[in-house]
Amino acid sequence: MGAPGSGKGTQSAMLASRLGISAISTGEILREAAKAQDPQGERLRQIMTSGALVDDATVCDVVASRIRGMVTGSGGLILDGFPRTVAQARKLDRVLQSLGMSRPLVVHLDVPNEVILERISRRRQCAKCGAIFTIASGSLELNRCDADGGSLLQRDDDNEAVVLKRLAAYEAETVPVLDYYRRHAESSADYRRIDGCLSAAEIAKGVCDIASFAGAPLAA
Ligand code: AMP
């Protein structure tokens, strides 16, 4: 968990490959669904480009069915960008319980807002594989993806006006989820905070240490 631009997508991809397990990004799923040329696609586009959160019912439907489909027999699952409201956290508790799964390990990437704003202005994503890059400060050049040469694009919702609204949604709706997990740390979740201003490699090491301490099998 963490604010927009805190590094959730980058860390989720690194951890998925390190642990050899799947990751679900609700942002990616919703961005894909928002491409549909139908009323649902149009509704999602409007919400997401405004910087607001998508309603709990839509998000929970998508995530619950994916968790049920992916989790059986696997060594776990990484959730990137979910839960983002207390209602979603409660829904997750119920889904995990119904599947007989253990409580979630919540990793909070903590980054101050001024760092988020600067970082997001430099964030680009590969149009082909979705890999996330941070371009050099002041560079106007859009480079190409290291992995497949795809063009690096800026997300529609990564401009300053929308990021400020996304940060406001984070403060109003998602910070209470962190409180929910901190309060319930003994019962429904294990909560850990990481300084999200460290380098991506340092954070990845911290996340892996936490995951392996919690019993996740680390792939070689
Ligand atoms: P992200 O890629 O995680 O930054 O998410 C991009 C956008 O997708 C957010 O600004 C929300 O509009 C929407 N979104 C992603 N995950 C959720 C969620 N769990 N609940 C509600 N909206 C979400």
Side-chain angles (χ1 to χ4, degrees):
M1 295 186 63
S6 59
K8 301 186 296 295
T10 302
Q11 292 302 324
S12 160
M14 283 169 141
L15 193 62
S17 99
R18 189 77 207 285
L19 297 179
I21 61 176
S22 304
I24 295 178
S25 155
T26 42
E28 289 299 335
I29 295 169
L30 294 167
R31 268 189 291 284
E32 225 16 73
K35 289 181 188 159
Q37 295 305 318
D38 58 18
Q40 168 79 330
E42 173 63 21
R43 188 175 72 86
L44 290 175
R45 280 196 292 283
Q46 272 181 11
I47 297 172
M48 292 169 79
T49 49
S50 78
L53 292 185
V54 174
D55 56 281
D56 288 333
T58 304
V59 177
C60 287
D61 267 6
V62 170
V63 176
S65 64
R66 297 232 178 180
I67 292 180
R68 290 201 175 92
M70 289 168 93
V71 103
T72 323
S74 73
L77 192 61
I78 300 165
L79 296 175
D80 160 11
F82 182 91
R84 255 164 150 120
T85 66
V86 172
Q88 292 178 14
R90 293 207 168 105
K91 172 77 179 179
L92 179 62
D93 286 346
R94 291 196 294 276
V95 171
L96 295 181
Q97 212 172 18
S98 74
L99 292 168
M101 291 192 69
S102 52
R103 62 194 198 163
L105 168 62
V106 177
V107 180
H108 171 198
L109 302 179
D110 199 5
V111 185
N113 285 0
E114 58 275 17
V115 177
I116 295 280
L117 283 168
E118 195 275 332
R119 206 186 261 182
I120 282 194
S121 69
R122 298 193 284 122
R123 177 161 76 177
R124 300 291 183 274
Q125 190 166 23
C126 172
K128 274 196 198 163
C129 68
I132 301 160
F133 295 86
T134 307
I135 59 168
S137 185
S139 161
L140 292 177
E141 271 197 28
L142 289 185
N143 299 318
R144 302 226 151 232
C145 175
D146 290 343
D148 57 22
S151 346
L152 299 189
L153 306 177
Q154 188 167 37
R155 274 170 44 176
D156 288 345
D157 58 353
D158 270 357
N159 64 72
E160 187 166 332
V162 179
V163 172
L164 287 172
K165 290 191 187 145
R166 290 164 64 201
L167 285 172
Y170 177 77
E171 290 295 331
E173 314 243 29
T174 309
V175 168
V177 184
L178 297 173
D179 294 338
Y180 172 86
Y181 282 130
R182 274 192 291 254
R183 270 202 320 274
H184 292 71
E186 292 303 313
S187 54
S188 72
D190 194 1
Y191 169 89
R192 306 295 176 86
R193 177 195 162 276
I194 290 191
D195 179 358
C197 293
L198 298 171
S199 71
E202 285 169 317
I203 296 172
K205 181 172 180 319
V207 173
C208 279
D209 286 350
I210 289 173
S212 60
F213 183 73
L218 286 191

